[in-house]
Amino acid sequence: MPQPQATDTAVPATLIGSEQPLCVAYDVALLDLDGVCFAGQARVPHAADNVNAARQAGMHLSFVTNNASRAPQTVVDKLADNDITAEASEVFSAAMDAAAMLTEHVEPGSMVLVVGGDGVRQALLDEGFQVTSSAQDEPVAVVQGWDPAVDWALLSEGVYAINAGALHVATNLDATLPTERGFALGNGSLVAAVVHASGKEPLAGGKPFPGIYTRALKRAGGTRPLAVGDRLNTDHVGARAAGIPGLHVLTGVSDARDVICAPATERPSFLHTDLRGLTAPHPEPVRVELDGQVWWRVGSRSARVLGSGLELQDAGAVSCPDGSAVRIDLDSYRALAVAAWDWADAQVRRGEAAELEVPEIEVIEP
């Protein structure tokens, strides 16, 4: 399947600092939904207070999501249930991204087969397309997005149409979908079934491709964007490819260990436990040499790589022999990430493939 293309950007592949709260330093937040603003049917602590505070500070908001099943007003209602204020015009979904992308490939008003739900249908209708659920209507394209109603019959209609020459467009390629019970089949897994049956690769929208961020930003109207997400391999790959700084939060999929071990293409520019990071300043990492050793200091915490492990100044080696998580504070987490990334980049430059030994890490809330 298509993969996001690496691009040269002005965003360094490491943490940066901001003396101002991020909601002041940046004029628009491109916010992910699941795992950031809410978690399935559960609330995310500190999400509502800080999203609403960012708006009150003058920051524009765009809710950018790979979930193609919800129409914009449904997203607004879901956010309202979580006490987050939003308008339908501020929602930009992978379904909307796919519909916008489709306008670049087929004639206006064309017939499109929907393998998905209301979110995909509404996005296509808003772009002026006709929609159908039958390959017998000779659609020129098939747009596929996740929805719980997608079944064998609808997937097969998509295959019939693609084999007859229709263009296949996927709203996103997420292999999994987080639920309260764990990870379920995502749109990418269902797309893979259609690809296997048709033998044809789709055009793909959504994250981690940069287009969803650039299209959302164009609608939001900002000039200093900040992407906010919990998934490194979608939210932050897409943001970095689009040249947009990213704030990572620990309320969703990717945990602190994932962040510390992240390759350059997945690294956020800012780290926090949750959306309080949106309304707070962020200390700038500083490289410090002490007795001939390189340390990275963030705030009052310093970290380095020693041998194949990590070390915190005044706390010693970051390890836990019994396999439980090491508990650290926020600035220690940031310092460990910068030290690990700097070490990993040096390994790449030397052509070496050694890996750090990083335990599970729990970041204590500030």
Side-chain angles (χ1 to χ4, degrees):
M1 289 189 187
Q3 296 298 317
Q5 298 299 307
T7 60
D8 293 329
T9 74
V11 182
T14 190
L15 294 188
I16 58 179
S18 176
E19 294 182 358
Q20 297 176 309
L22 298 187
C23 61
V24 176
Y26 298 92
D27 65 355
V28 58
L30 306 173
L31 288 152
D32 186 47
L33 290 176
D34 278 303
V36 175
C37 294
F38 48 75
Q41 300 303 313
R43 287 175 175 259
V44 169
H46 311 294
D49 289 348
N50 288 279
V51 172
N52 295 335
R55 184 189 295 278
Q56 292 168 3
M59 192 178 216
H60 297 287
L61 305 178
S62 178
F63 298 92
V64 184
T65 175
N66 265 12
N67 189 323
S69 67
R70 302 184 182 112
Q73 187 57 49
T74 304
V75 173
V76 170
D77 294 342
K78 173 76 170 176
L79 288 166
D81 289 342
N82 287 270
D83 296 327
I84 295 174
T85 302
E87 298 179 5
S89 61
E90 295 174 324
V91 177
F92 195 78
S93 70
M96 297 165 71
D97 190 42
M101 186 166 54
L102 189 60
T103 64
E104 303 166 5
H105 295 273
V106 303
E107 293 297 320
S110 296
M111 181 66 71
V112 180
L113 192 154
V114 176
V115 179
D118 290 341
V120 177
R121 278 190 290 272
Q122 188 61 55
L124 291 166
L125 290 171
D126 288 346
E127 291 288 355
F129 293 109
Q130 302 179 67
V131 298
T132 183
S133 58
S134 174
Q136 293 180 328
D137 290 330
E138 300 182 348
V140 301
V142 173
V143 176
Q144 183 174 359
W146 183 89
D147 188 86
V150 172
D151 58 11
W152 175 88
L154 193 51
L155 290 170
S156 295
E157 288 298 321
V159 173
Y160 295 145
I162 294 165
N163 285 340
L167 177 68
H168 186 193
V169 178
T171 61
N172 68 83
L173 298 178
D174 288 354
T176 60
L177 180 73
T179 72
E180 289 76 15
R181 295 174 58 191
F183 292 99
L185 289 172
N187 193 57
S189 296
L190 301 179
V191 169
V194 173
V195 169
H196 185 68
S198 69
K200 298 177 183 177
E201 295 290 340
L203 294 175
K207 309 169 192 177
F209 301 98
I212 190 169
Y213 280 119
T214 57
R215 294 184 185 101
L217 180 59
K218 183 177 180 181
R219 293 198 182 197
T223 59
R224 303 188 314 279
L226 174 74
V228 185
D230 65 301
R231 269 189 195 249
L232 295 176
N233 62 358
T234 55
D235 300 325
H236 293 286
V237 168
R240 185 162 290 284
I244 297 173
L247 166 65
H248 181 266
V249 292
L250 294 171
T251 48
V253 174
S254 300
D255 62 20
R257 185 182 186 280
D258 296 329
V259 170
I260 290 170
C261 297
T265 54
E266 297 184 2
R267 293 175 191 164
S269 299
F270 301 99
L271 299 177
H272 206 283
T273 53
D274 51 62
L275 282 174
R276 284 177 291 180
L278 194 59
T279 57
H282 289 247
E284 183 174 5
V286 178
R287 188 179 186 274
V288 178
E289 287 197 21
L290 183 63
D291 296 330
Q293 299 294 317
V294 174
W295 294 79
W296 283 94
R297 186 176 69 233
V298 178
S300 62
R301 306 301 189 208
S302 296
R304 67 172 177 175
V305 173
L306 182 63
S308 61
L310 290 163
E311 181 180 0
L312 285 168
Q313 193 174 28
D314 301 326
V318 180
S319 63
C320 198
D322 65 5
S324 59
V326 176
R327 302 179 79 235
I328 59 174
D329 61 28
L330 180 57
D331 280 347
S332 293
Y333 165 48
R334 291 165 169 160
L336 288 172
V338 178
W341 295 350
D342 180 61
W343 179 87
D345 290 346
Q347 294 292 106
V348 170
R349 288 192 297 270
R350 290 194 293 265
E352 299 177 5
E355 294 185 2
L356 282 178
E357 297 174 5
V358 183
E360 294 300 321
I361 289 175
E362 178 186 352
V363 183
I364 302 168
E365 288 196 9

